[in-house]
Amino acid sequence: MTAPVLGSLTTEPVLRRPDLVAPAVLGALHSWEVDLDQVLVAEIDPDLADTAALSAAHHVPLSASANCVVVLGRREGVERLAGCVVLATTRADVNGLVKRTLDVRKCSFLAMDRAVAETGMEFGGITPVGLPTGWRTLVDAAVLDVPVVVVGSGLRRSKLVLPGAALAGLAGAQVLTGLGIPTTGA
Amino acid sequence: MPAPAPTAVWDGLAAGYRWQEPLEAASLRTLVRLALPRPHDVTVDLGCGPGTLTGRLAALPTWRRPRRLLAVDSSPAMLAVLRRREVLRAGWTAVRADVGALPLADASVDLVLCGWLLHVLGDGERHRTLCEVSRVLAPGGRVALAVPGRPRTPPGRALRSALARATTRHGSHALRQLPDLTRELAAAGLVQRVEHHTGCGYASRVVLAAGPVTTGRARSLLSITRSARDGGSQAAR
């Protein structure tokens, strides 16, 4: 197998570098019915963990980068949490599709400190792989069409590189068309 | 012959080994999670004993269960218990062999799992065993190991001292810690990647290491391990 090349990222199979993913992510890899040969990890400078910086430094197209944003809605006093996976060329339709899917009145981004505490992942490295149990995982259908996509690893010092379609196989993942609304300019 | 092979001791323990398997459960679960076995991984369960880890692997879902596995132990009585338990799936084999002289070709294995073995080996035998692991691993291969860790709770410490007292008369090394493991792995050409600690049951240290990548390095290692292996097989016979 030849490792897919994405920009100037140097990838290795995650199997040989479990040190490059957060423990929560490693646990999820075990129970994820995926071909682990296709799940790669790239070590990066932690200062380049944010999508725009990574894209600029490593020539990773934004259309091959997926962000995972964590949203919070409430229904009858009960919190509903979800990770939304959208391409970096889009923004999650939080007040439309996400709100309707979670069946909540109001929906907003989860505060950074809570997101970090509850996922056990570093901010800037939050990934749909290994979200806490009870959370929903919403994936934009457009992400599945990307042959090789960069997502977080749970840590700022690395990224996962995998086929977009693999994300549909995450436990409890729900694929939604139109979850990401294209942004003009990036 | 440096030290007597501990087979007799292990043969005697085989029938009653079952009682302590729950104490190994947490560490072996962690070991499997770190190892992330794939169906096409040619896998070795090194020092399989009565099949504690083998049984755990047999229970994995098909997308995590290796199709080909070799369980290796030097104790015939332990292997007899393993066979009685019927943990061997189709395509899996159990053989009696010295863990320091594996009946396997160079670079023929993708994954070596080694649960609760290294601490009962003497220093020389442990080095030979790690060199054997390095020799049989194919490029890109990996090894996951569970060894005793430092107990952090009073029950854990009590368990360790009780077991140490009970086993000293056999001259074995119950729950002996291996403070230099990372360096010992490196000496065999294995790179430690991640280390987890478990505290439930026997306190443990679970390590995943990557096998040699470069052929040049692997070749120089081979010449060392070949001579070590020849010495090892003679000791076993």
Side-chain angles (χ1 to χ4, degrees), chain A residues 12 14-19 23 26-37, chain B residues 32-36 38 40 60 63-64 140-142 193-194 196 208 210-211 213:
Chain A
E12 287 175 87
V14 69
L15 285 166
R16 279 171 64 88
R17 294 306 304 270
D19 52 315
L26 195 54
L29 287 178
H30 180 70
S31 48
W32 184 15
E33 194 176 343
V34 69
D35 176 4
L36 283 176
D37 291 322
Chain B
V32 175
R33 291 176 91 89
L34 283 186
L36 290 167
R38 297 167 295 180
H40 59 272
L60 286 173
W63 75 87
R64 277 285 160 271
R142 58 211 197 275
R193 292 298 196 196
V194 65
H196 283 203
L208 185 116
V213 190

Side-chain angles (χ1 to χ4, degrees), chain B residues 27-182:
Chain B
S27 75
L28 294 183
R29 186 172 58 236
T30 302
L31 178 110
V32 175
R33 291 176 91 89
L34 283 186
L36 290 167
R38 297 167 295 180
H40 59 272
D41 279 333
V42 175
T43 304
V44 172
D45 178 358
L46 192 62
C48 60
T52 318
L53 176 60
T54 328
R56 189 169 279 276
L57 296 167
L60 286 173
T62 47
W63 75 87
R64 277 285 160 271
R65 192 194 312 138
R67 284 190 290 267
R68 288 172 64 202
L69 178 136
L70 183 74
V72 179
D73 206 281
S74 61
S75 158
M78 285 285 187
L79 289 170
V81 175
L82 179 144
R83 292 210 173 85
R84 268 204 304 283
R85 293 170 116 180
E86 297 180 349
V87 290
L88 294 178
R89 294 271 183 169
W92 293 17
T93 320
V95 295
R96 185 191 172 192
D98 184 341
V99 292
L102 297 175
L104 289 162
D106 298 350
S108 60
V109 171
D110 301 302
L111 177 63
V112 175
L113 302 170
C114 184
W116 296 95
L117 167 74
L118 292 181
H119 65 293
V120 302
L121 304 177
D123 290 348
E125 200 183 3
R126 194 168 60 250
H127 177 66
R128 254 200 322 276
T129 302
L130 291 176
C131 288
E132 271 299 80
V133 168
S134 185
R135 177 184 69 83
V136 301
L137 278 181
R142 58 211 197 275
V143 51
L145 311 149
V147 297
R150 190 143 53 98
R152 292 191 166 93
T153 60
R157 282 191 286 270
L159 187 63
R160 184 177 60 165
S161 28
L163 207 75
R165 274 197 302 279
T167 53
T168 323
R169 61 197 146 139
H170 295 305
S172 68
H173 311 268
L175 301 188
R176 182 169 64 128
Q177 288 172 56
L178 304 172
D180 286 332
L181 183 62
T182 308

Side-chain angles (χ1 to χ4, degrees), chain A residues 52-74:
Chain A
L54 185 81
S55 174
H58 285 283
H59 316 290
V60 175
L62 289 176
S63 56
S65 251
N67 291 325
C68 180
V69 296
V70 179
V71 296
L72 164 71
R74 275 199 189 80

